[in-house]
Amino acid sequence: MLNKLQAVSNRYEELCAKSEQPDFYADPKKAAKLLREKNDLEPIVEAYHAYNQAEQDMLDAQELMSDPEMKELCQETYAVAKAQKEELFEKLQILLLPKDPNDEKSVIVEIRGGVGGEESALFAHSLFRMYSMYASSKGWSVELMNYNETELGGIKEADFVINGRGAYSRMKYESGVHRVQRVPETESGGRVHTSTATVAVLPEMEEVDVQINPADIEMQVYRASGAGGQHVNKTSSAVRLIHKPSGIVVACQEERSQVQNREKCMRMLASKLYEIEQEKLDSEVTGLRRSQVGTGMRNERIRTYNFPQGRVTDHRVGLTLYRIDSIMNGDIDEIINALATADQAEKLKNSN
């Protein structure tokens, strides 16, 4: 590992020297690529230098321990430096793990009401609100693509983009089945019902990232529908695309023009086709099931929201928090941090 760290440090110094050359920005695209690489390497190099400094502090303290007057102070300095070195070693192991190439991308999120009728639709709306508030807390924006609302304010389905650098690195852990236990607004007897909603999170792909043959796409236009909206049922602006080879169907009705809705549909289609190809690749190359903590399988129950007890439990890491109100208001970082840490631990175990 130390040889690899030295190579990373050398590459970082090389990039620093290049960025100071007068003609560095002559090719803006190349310069941007090199600067991204430099920024990615910087935290590794900083931790590596701190690791070397802690090691040097241990050696210096060891040399001075023979002096009786300095022994106690040196032992304390040695212990502190040793603890720092061990902590930095673990940090460097994580920093050197291969990064998901999609982590910096924006995401497309799909929420669908599941088991539970109208209550599942209301819960799906609660999840949409939770993710919207989480995105806002991160300074990300939410762009609606398809939103099918019920009469009582729930949603049958919602497709939306969370635009923001690093959105996928956080949101990818949300894929799966979310379960709610609460007394529905429609329940007069006060009985607790169990309902579900499914969430799928895809890294947003541009058409250039995925090859799509126009001949493989059937386009249908129709009038937008839903519980409200100024342009609903006035024009045939909504677009549905059917990718004939895969059978994938995507739809968008949130924009006023067919052109804009078709453009959004193509982004969704590119992301879905990319996901299919990645799943094939994962299966062929590794022959292993995806990590339980990774991007959760859509049919896997990942989390329970129990309103009577004020409890949220993530079943993948066994984390239970008793602050359901703040979580439903978008405060989900503690859950995501626990999942990211478990994911890193799993990758470290597999890399050894």
Side-chain angles (χ1 to χ4, degrees), residues 315-330:
H315 305 291
R316 293 163 293 178
V317 288
L319 175 67
T320 296
L321 300 173
Y322 288 89
R323 49 179 188 84
I324 197 166
D325 289 341
S326 65
I327 287 169
M328 298 312 295
N329 284 331

Side-chain angles (χ1 to χ4, degrees), residues 15-264:
L15 290 169
C16 287
K18 281 186 178 180
S19 67
E20 293 171 1
Q21 296 299 315
D23 61 344
F24 179 72
Y25 292 97
D27 184 341
K29 284 188 178 179
K30 184 180 178 183
K33 184 180 178 182
L34 292 175
L35 285 174
R36 277 197 300 273
E37 184 185 355
K38 175 177 171 285
N39 290 337
D40 287 343
L41 296 180
E42 190 167 357
I44 302 174
V45 173
E46 286 179 352
Y48 177 50
H49 289 168
Y51 175 87
N52 287 337
Q53 184 59 56
E55 189 171 52
Q56 187 59 51
D57 290 346
M58 287 173 65
L59 292 172
D60 292 343
Q62 243 178 344
E63 285 182 13
L64 293 170
M65 277 186 197
S66 55
D67 185 340
E69 294 182 5
M70 298 286 290
K71 186 175 181 179
E72 188 176 340
L73 177 61
C74 289
Q75 284 177 333
E76 185 180 335
T77 301
Y78 181 87
V80 170
K82 186 172 183 286
Q84 286 177 339
K85 183 185 172 184
E86 290 170 356
E87 184 181 323
L88 286 162
F89 184 81
E90 290 181 12
K91 182 178 179 180
L92 284 165
Q93 281 186 303
I94 292 170
L95 286 170
L96 285 176
L97 286 172
K99 284 192 174 182
D100 187 329
N102 296 316
D103 273 353
E104 294 301 301
K105 291 183 181 290
S106 298
V107 294
I108 293 176
V109 183
E110 301 175 340
I111 301 177
R112 301 286 183 269
V115 177
E118 185 62 42
E119 170 60 8
S120 73
L122 290 168
F123 177 50
H125 179 271
S126 298
L127 291 176
F128 172 71
R129 177 179 177 274
M130 179 180 80
Y131 292 135
S132 297
M133 295 182 77
Y134 179 64
S136 178
S137 73
K138 294 292 183 184
W140 302 333
S141 64
V142 174
E143 176 187 357
L144 266 183
M145 303 181 87
N146 189 39
Y147 192 86
N148 192 342
E149 195 172 19
T150 66
E151 292 293 330
L152 295 180
I155 52 175
K156 293 177 184 174
E157 55 187 27
D159 303 324
F160 54 99
V161 180
I162 296 181
N163 292 300
R165 185 177 178 184
Y168 185 70
S169 70
R170 306 294 290 169
M171 288 295 297
K172 63 184 177 183
Y173 300 107
E174 294 303 298
S175 285
V177 177
H178 295 242
R179 181 175 70 170
V180 64
Q181 295 170 328
R182 65 184 176 186
V183 179
E185 295 175 20
T186 53
E187 169 61 54
S188 57
R191 290 177 302 163
V192 174
H193 286 227
T194 297
S195 305
T196 64
T198 61
V199 176
V201 179
L202 311 172
E204 188 188 19
M205 293 292 161
E206 300 294 333
E207 289 179 57
V208 293
D209 297 326
V210 181
Q211 290 187 342
I212 302 175
N213 186 347
D216 291 339
I217 297 172
E218 178 187 335
M219 176 174 161
Q220 300 175 350
V221 295
Y222 59 99
R223 292 187 178 184
S225 61
Q230 293 180 351
H231 63 291
V232 169
N233 294 330
K234 291 184 180 178
T235 59
S236 296
S237 59
V239 171
R240 182 184 296 113
L241 296 183
I242 302 168
H243 186 251
K244 289 179 279 190
S246 65
I248 291 173
V249 179
V250 292
C252 184
Q253 62 177 27
E254 295 307 311
E255 300 296 339
R256 291 179 179 272
S257 76
Q258 281 183 22
V259 173
Q260 290 172 310
N261 282 325
R262 186 185 185 282
E263 182 185 331
K264 285 190 173 184

Side-chain angles (χ1 to χ4, degrees), residues 277-295:
E277 287 304 311
Q278 284 301 111
E279 285 181 349
K280 282 183 186 174
L281 188 64
D282 290 347
S283 176
E284 290 169 6
V285 174
T286 66
L288 298 173
R289 182 184 178 276
R290 278 186 177 184
S291 166
Q292 184 184 9
V293 175
T295 50

